[in-house]
Amino acid sequence: MPAETTPHDATWMAWPSGSYTLGETAAEAEAARRTWADVANAVAEWEPVHLLVPPSERAEARRLLGAGVTCHEVPLDDAWYRDIGPTFVVDTDDAGERRLGAVNWTFNGWGQQSWATWEHDAVASLVATEASGAVRIDSAMVNEGGGIHTDGAGTFLVTESVQLDPGRNPGWTRAQVQAELAHTVGARELVWLERGLTRDHERYGTRGHVDIVATFADRGVLLVHDQRDPAHPDHAITRDVAATLAEARDADGKPLDVLALPAPAVLRDEEGWVDYSYVNHYVCNGAVIACSFADPHDAEARDVLADAYPGRHVVQIDARPLFARGGGIHCITQQQPCLSADVPEGSR
């Protein structure tokens, strides 16, 4: 699995289609649609975007999406394509030809959550797999794209609360997870975190996705959610995460450089402790599509991201409508890596 920072041929997304993603009022539905569209249109400035849209939302999607977005009409349960889409990988055959693969994880509604349905989402990964022409790789492991991060050289971040979740993979051991990730995405070293952020472990959370906790900005360089306020329960959690990562080694046995990315200053919303996270950004060709929260720490986060990804434009989008529904910008995007070493022609 290449690093997210390598060149992409495209980005894949899914459109909000019902239940909690559209909310209970027309205003809530419009906020959701506009936020998903804002992300898709921002990415489309830098690379092609493919977006799964349920037939009932065809007109709304076309009203808000720009010309750089290609729609694929399919039924959906939800809109988090990072999780329900495939994880793309690249292989080189004996003749030196590079081939694209697509790992189709088993998806069961983030561990059979009582509020989730996944009849359509369980097969939604096949849309990108088939349209991209990738070799299909099926995995028996229940996993989601938001549950892993890689440096592109075999080092992966995972959490015990996701891959070893009894609702996902009952009875599985670390060794079994290691073997499956080695087989499917080329993992050589797993860095295990105990859990994710507080809000993400509540009823409507994922039970600990790593992509709001830490990410690789480069080989050996990690950006880590830093909750500085002791009043928030994530203060203790992120201190434990930072300590674990300070002792970790990558697949080549080298230590990791851990850089703090501040949590927003806001601590609570009307539902409780927030899990707003600047870590949940998406790196595309030439840009970083980043979360903002109308928060005093937005500017500092932007500066940290600009330093971490030199040469890329940082584009901030208000992600509060996404987090109110259970995720962020990274959660709704999935990269399709480029088979060549160069950014595809036409990318900005």
Side-chain angles (χ1 to χ4, degrees), residues 229-252:
D229 195 323
H232 197 301
D234 286 341
H235 176 77
I237 291 170
T238 56
R239 294 302 176 274
D240 289 343
V241 167
T244 297
L245 295 176
E247 297 296 322
R249 295 294 184 269
D250 68 11
D252 295 320

Side-chain angles (χ1 to χ4, degrees), residues 213-224:
V213 181
T215 187
F216 286 98
D218 201 349
R219 288 186 64 173
V221 180
L222 283 168
L223 292 170
V224 182

Side-chain angles (χ1 to χ4, degrees), residues 11-328:
T11 291
W12 286 84
M13 298 177 61
W15 187 257
S17 57
S19 66
Y20 70 94
T21 54
L22 289 182
E24 299 179 354
T25 67
E28 289 174 348
E30 183 67 6
R33 292 176 182 126
R34 285 196 174 277
T35 304
W36 258 265
D38 286 347
V39 174
N41 290 333
V43 176
E45 289 288 321
W46 306 91
E47 65 191 54
V49 174
H50 292 266
L51 195 147
L52 280 63
V53 180
S56 61
E57 283 289 314
R58 179 193 308 117
E60 295 293 349
R62 287 276 43 118
R63 174 174 65 90
L64 296 170
L65 294 170
V69 181
T70 300
C71 293
H72 303 258
E73 285 193 23
V74 291
L76 291 168
D77 298 295
D78 227 310
W80 312 102
Y81 207 64
R82 174 68 53 176
D83 295 346
I84 63 176
T87 294
F88 286 104
V89 294
V90 175
D91 188 25
T92 305
D93 64 19
D94 294 338
E97 294 292 324
R98 284 162 61 86
R99 302 178 299 167
L100 184 69
V103 180
N104 288 262
W105 308 107
T106 300
F107 180 76
N108 72 349
W110 300 277
Q112 305 177 72
Q113 301 270 23
S114 61
W115 46 266
T117 60
W118 55 92
E119 174 189 1
H120 303 300
D121 287 357
V123 295
S125 61
L126 298 179
V127 177
T129 300
E130 294 169 2
S132 66
V135 176
R136 176 174 166 179
I137 304 166
D138 290 335
S139 175
M141 186 169 75
V142 178
N143 189 42
E144 303 92 35
I148 57 175
H149 256 315
T150 185
D151 63 352
T155 310
F156 281 78
L157 302 177
V158 294
T159 56
E160 293 181 7
S161 59
V162 170
Q163 282 79 24
L164 300 183
D165 175 17
R168 286 178 168 96
N169 301 300
W172 279 50
T173 65
R174 284 190 177 195
Q176 287 174 292
V177 173
Q178 169 84 44
E180 184 64 7
L181 290 177
H183 169 68
T184 53
V185 292
R188 296 190 292 134
E189 178 70 21
L190 301 189
V191 178
W192 287 92
L193 303 180
E194 181 180 353
R195 53 163 294 157
L197 302 183
T198 299
R199 177 76 161 260
D200 200 29
H201 282 268
E202 295 176 353
R203 183 183 179 192
Y204 293 105
T206 70
R207 299 179 184 155
H209 272 186
V210 75
D211 70 349
I212 59 172
V213 181
T215 187
F216 286 98
D218 201 349
R219 288 186 64 173
V221 180
L222 283 168
L223 292 170
V224 182
H225 186 71
D226 181 23
Q227 177 50 257
R228 300 167 179 171
D229 195 323
H232 197 301
D234 286 341
H235 176 77
I237 291 170
T238 56
R239 294 302 176 274
D240 289 343
V241 167
T244 297
L245 295 176
E247 297 296 322
R249 295 294 184 269
D250 68 11
D252 295 320
K254 298 177 180 178
L256 301 169
D257 187 10
V258 179
L259 305 178
L261 190 55
V266 63
L267 301 182
R268 301 180 67 92
D269 63 10
E270 60 186 20
E271 300 295 330
W273 301 110
V274 299
D275 57 359
Y276 293 168
S277 173
Y278 299 110
V279 169
N280 200 266
H281 55 270
Y282 179 60
V283 184
C284 62
N285 296 338
V288 179
I289 312 302
C291 299
S292 65
F293 303 97
D295 189 89
H297 291 171
D298 285 354
E300 180 183 353
R302 180 187 179 91
D303 290 344
V304 172
L305 292 171
D307 289 343
Y309 300 103
R312 297 181 193 261
H313 294 259
V314 178
V315 180
Q316 288 184 307
I317 295 173
D318 189 343
R320 288 174 294 178
L322 296 176
F323 276 84
R325 290 159 174 81

